[in-house]
Amino acid sequence: MKESLKQFIRAGFDSALQNGSIQAYYQPVIRTISGRLCSFEALARWVDPEFGILRPDQFIPVLEQDKRIHLLDSHIIREVCRQLRRSIDSGETPIPVSVNLSRLDFICCDIFSVVDQQVSAFQLPHDFLYIEITESILGEQEGLMHEVVDRFHEAGYQVWMDDFGSGYSSLNMLKDYSFDELKLDMRFLSSLDRRSRRILTSVIHMAKEIDIHTLAEGVETEEQFLYLRDIGCEKVQGYYFGAPMPYAKALEHLREKGVAVEL
Ligand code: C2E
Ligand code: CA
Ligand code: CA
């Protein structure tokens, strides 16, 4: 990464948090069987007048290096809660949102309390916010991770395993933690050839056997969508249904496509 961009991130992060440049973009998650919207994933964007839109892979590594990622995640969680409250107050159907946590959130702050305090402050039901954790972070600090995941569960939050299959320890993680949902990335499978199809089908069946819901992300084509629907994958997410966008735009995009909200 260019040194100038790193410097820009380091110098500008605090004011970007305060002046609204760091925003949650929302990507739709669709239920395969009904074709309806069932939730959004909140993805962070840094919208800067000079640099344009910075993506997470540009600023997250710098924030992690500086141990400031929990400030970003706390901000996104607050923005998501604010949006949910706005939707409820304006009489719209509130749509649950999943948020991404970083490994360092568990170390640098009490991330359960951060989430729970915001949810309480905005008076939201606990089943409107889902927690996404990537499998790669679960192997470390196991005791602490278990404790925090259990706290989320006990308080009524769903916890999802993100990027399932990308690491080497997925199956152990499935055994050790009771996740509510598995997110599988289609991009892990470079093509939908016969072998990939068998792997996917087996994973979907295994998840059903152990009562875990399934969501495939990175779905870009109709072919992928129809295949996932046929093998019983419950939910899909990807550019085929919509890229991450500001909340109002995301809703407008879905309206234009004729996608209804699940009730
Ligand atoms: P992720 O959680 O796996 O999020 C999915 C990424 O795939 C997003 O990239 C999304 O824009 C992209 N994507 C969605 N649909 C498609 C598709 O059909 N095709 C392709 N090629 N890509 C698709 P994004 O927004 O750049 O985020 C990258 C990663 O950064 C995320 O991966 C997540 O791990 C992390 N991230 C994003 N926002 C946050 C945040 O607020 N906090 C933390 N801790 N991490 C975040
Ligand atoms: Ca995610
Ligand atoms: Ca993912």
Side-chain angles (χ1 to χ4, degrees):
M1 188 192 297
K2 274 201 201 134
E3 221 25 66
S4 59
L5 182 58
K6 266 194 191 171
Q7 273 170 12
F8 169 82
I9 291 165
R10 292 209 157 103
F13 179 61
D14 289 334
S15 52
L17 273 183
Q18 279 158 24
N19 68 20
S21 302
I22 296 190
Q23 300 172 15
Y25 273 34
Y26 295 81
Q27 185 176 36
V29 175
I30 307 290
R31 192 171 303 279
T32 42
I33 206 158
S34 63
R36 287 175 179 245
L37 174 71
C38 44
S39 67
F40 282 116
E41 176 175 8
L43 293 154
R45 296 290 182 270
W46 182 329
V47 186
D48 182 73
E50 188 190 333
F51 275 97
I53 298 185
L54 301 185
R55 301 176 61 97
D57 57 351
Q58 296 175 292
F59 54 85
I60 285 183
V62 182
L63 298 178
E64 288 193 327
Q65 218 176 348
D66 296 352
K67 300 211 166 28
R68 290 205 286 172
I69 185 74
H70 62 291
L71 301 176
L72 172 89
D73 288 339
S74 305
H75 174 79
I76 295 291
I77 289 160
R78 187 165 52 248
E79 287 308 302
V80 165
C81 290
R82 198 192 305 282
Q83 180 55 57
L84 279 163
R85 175 46 46 205
R86 225 180 271 140
S87 302
I88 294 170
D89 288 348
S90 60
E92 291 168 19
T93 310
I95 296 149
V97 182
S98 60
V99 294
N100 291 282
L101 298 189
S102 155
R103 179 180 69 86
L104 290 170
D105 292 339
F106 292 79
I107 296 164
C108 296
C109 71
D110 176 358
I111 192 64
F112 170 78
S113 298
V114 169
V115 169
D116 208 47
Q117 277 164 15
Q118 292 302 330
V119 167
S120 300
F122 287 97
Q123 297 180 295
L124 301 170
H126 290 194
D127 49 1
F128 278 137
L129 204 72
Y130 307 146
I131 307 298
E132 292 194 18
I133 304 178
T134 65
E135 60 169 339
S136 59
I137 71 177
L138 291 167
E140 305 167 41
Q141 309 264 342
E142 253 179 73
L144 175 67
M145 299 300 298
H146 263 289
E147 189 192 311
V148 182
V149 170
D150 286 349
R151 279 175 85 193
F152 276 116
H153 270 145
E154 279 157 22
Y157 297 96
Q158 285 193 24
V159 183
W160 295 2
M161 187 197 267
D162 201 359
D163 301 332
F164 177 76
S166 63
Y168 55 86
S169 53
S170 311
L171 292 175
N172 255 336
M173 295 307 154
L174 271 191
K175 180 168 69 60
D176 294 344
Y177 292 85
S178 50
F179 289 101
D180 300 283
E181 191 149 316
L182 280 193
K183 292 192 79 167
L184 303 133
D185 200 318
M186 290 299 289
R187 286 162 292 176
F188 297 144
L189 305 166
S190 48
S191 67
L192 263 188
D193 58 18
R194 209 160 141 255
R195 203 172 156 78
S196 304
R197 285 175 191 251
R198 282 192 171 166
I199 295 174
L200 254 184
T201 310
S202 311
V203 170
I204 303 287
H205 287 169
M206 179 220 28
K208 278 195 203 310
E209 283 289 318
I210 54 175
D211 294 321
I212 301 184
H213 297 289
T214 46
L215 192 170
E217 58 180 341
V219 177
E220 295 182 349
T221 65
E222 187 181 24
E223 186 204 2
Q224 290 175 334
F225 165 57
L226 294 176
Y227 181 69
L228 289 159
R229 194 184 62 186
D230 287 349
I231 62 171
C233 180
E234 290 165 70
K235 300 173 182 176
V236 278
Q237 174 185 352
Y239 295 158
Y240 182 63
F241 306 95
M245 289 175 224
Y247 195 77
K249 273 205 180 145
L251 285 185
E252 193 185 307
H253 172 79
L254 292 165
R255 254 195 309 274
E256 280 168 5
K257 287 190 76 154
V259 175
V261 178
E262 184 170 82
L263 293 174

